[in-house]
Amino acid sequence: MASHFILLTLTNLLFLLPSALSQSAPAPGPAGPINITDILVRGGQFTSLLRLLNQTRVLDQLPNQLNNSNQGMTLFAPTDNAFLNLPSGTLNGLSEEKKVKLVLYHVLPKYYSMEDLVDVSNPVPTQAGGEHGSLGLNFSGRANQVNVSTGVVETQINNALRKDFPFAVYVVDQVLLPLEFTQAPAPEGSSTSPAGKPAKAPSSPAADGDGSTPAKNGGGRRVDMWVGLVGGLVMLCMAFL
Ligand SMILES: *[C@@H]1O[C@H](CO)[C@@H](O)[C@H](O)[C@H]1NC(C)=O
Ligand SMILES: *[C@@H]1O[C@H](CO)[C@@H](O)[C@H](O)[C@H]1NC(C)=O
Ligand SMILES: *[C@@H]1O[C@H](CO)[C@@H](O)[C@H](O)[C@H]1NC(C)=O
Ligand SMILES: *[C@@H]1O[C@H](CO)[C@@H](O)[C@H](O)[C@H]1NC(C)=O
Ligand SMILES: *[C@@H]1O[C@H](CO)[C@@H](O)[C@H](O)[C@H]1NC(C)=O
């Protein structure tokens, strides 16, 4: 009787074990690959940003950079509405180089939680290179209500699409236009910078994102195998009882 009871609880345990194990192992673990496209697609209102990220190839660079950094990364994600609210022709008036700069201005080469942003020391360097080092963003506010300012645009940081180290993605209602862009009234043709030197490339290794995904389910399968083995053993014991 007692042994039957023990066996019963044991088999119960075995049925519970797999689900318990899979729960304790979060799907996209901190070490696992982070799919930026997926995060933004799920967000549901970032088509313009995705297009721009893709067009500028920044989408290809970010995962590598994220993987090669121990500082993490922060992305500000303007909504489709934010892009619609830009003065008409803003994006089309930008050279490819400036589009890259605009996108990289939304990326901080370090992970910041919302709390971090409250008392960060301004200006915070972005991935976008300017004439005097990287272009910065300013942050102000208190817990759960932080504003970001570029000098021409100030907007509130809304909810996070992703908030855990190493990658934070915060929603913003406005495109973060660099002050630099508005200071040069002629969008193209005229000299972009005194030396005419191109915008500094992001300090990242060559953008050779090949989208290859390392086998990520090996661990899970091994656990399943173990559970199967132990289960089989218990069955065997039962047969002898
Ligand atoms: C990332 O997510 C998108 C959208 O869900 C998907 O189409 C793509 O295959 C994923 N990429 C990788 C490398 O997993
Ligand atoms: C990026 O653009 C290419 C074409 O240039 C397209 O095939 C691909 O689906 C786009 N990817 C995303 C995530 O928009
Ligand atoms: C991430 O970096 C590690 C080494 O730091 C490397 O082994 C792995 O292939 C990289 N993964 C991707 C997706 O680049
Ligand atoms: C950002 O903050 C720094 C330091 O407080 C200040 O000197 C600078 O003028 C600010 N820039 C903008 C655009 O607000
Ligand atoms: C944040 O910016 C909004 C404008 O988008 C402004 O109304 C608000 O006062 C700012 N809040 C703080 C704390 O600076």
Side-chain angles (χ1 to χ4, degrees):
M1 196 59 187
S3 69
H4 271 111
F5 179 73
I6 290 173
L7 264 174
L8 219 79
T9 48
L10 232 157
T11 39
N12 270 349
L13 205 81
L14 282 168
F15 279 114
L16 291 174
L17 208 59
S19 63
L21 278 171
S22 59
Q23 263 169 25
S24 68
I34 289 169
N35 187 335
I36 297 172
T37 306
D38 194 50
I39 294 169
L40 293 175
V41 167
R42 280 164 196 270
Q45 47 176 343
F46 303 96
T47 314
S48 307
L49 176 62
L50 267 171
R51 197 183 307 129
L52 195 59
L53 279 166
N54 192 21
Q55 221 177 60
T56 54
R57 308 298 307 270
V58 172
L59 192 60
D60 297 334
Q61 300 171 21
L62 291 185
N64 290 323
Q65 214 172 324
L66 197 50
N67 192 34
N68 293 325
S69 155
N70 53 12
Q71 305 252 37
M73 193 179 277
T74 303
L75 170 69
F76 296 101
T79 58
D80 286 336
N81 251 332
F83 280 97
L84 279 177
N85 287 336
L86 281 174
S88 69
T90 304
L91 272 192
N92 291 336
L94 296 176
S95 61
E96 288 308 308
E97 186 184 307
K98 280 200 161 179
K99 278 184 187 164
V100 172
K101 192 182 257 196
L102 177 64
V103 173
L104 294 177
Y105 193 48
H106 290 71
V107 179
L108 308 179
K110 190 169 184 295
Y111 166 84
Y112 293 93
S113 69
M114 199 70 112
E115 291 76 26
D116 292 338
L117 290 175
V118 173
D119 33 47
V120 81
S121 93
N122 288 323
V124 177
T126 68
Q127 284 285 101
E131 283 164 36
H132 314 285
S134 60
L135 298 178
L137 286 172
N138 279 6
F139 296 88
S140 61
R142 37 198 150 64
N144 296 325
Q145 219 273 267
V146 183
N147 276 7
V148 57
S149 165
T150 72
V152 274
V153 171
E154 174 167 18
T155 190
Q156 193 178 321
I157 296 173
N158 294 325
N159 57 307
L161 293 180
R162 192 185 193 284
K163 61 176 169 53
D164 297 322
F165 186 85
F167 188 48
V169 183
Y170 300 110
V171 177
V172 286
D173 288 334
Q174 289 194 58
V175 176
L176 305 178
L177 281 177
L179 185 60
E180 189 181 291
F181 280 22
T182 58
Q183 280 171 340
E188 51 196 322
S190 60
S191 62
T192 41
S193 68
K197 73 172 179 239
K200 203 178 79 187
S203 58
S204 71
D208 56 356
D210 53 7
S212 65
T213 33
K216 55 187 169 189
N217 286 323
R221 234 174 270 132
R222 218 168 301 130
V223 167
D224 285 351
M225 235 172 70
W226 257 106
V227 169
L229 253 165
V230 174
L233 229 96
V234 167
M235 290 302 195
L236 213 82
C237 290
M238 272 170 94
F240 278 106
L241 276 165

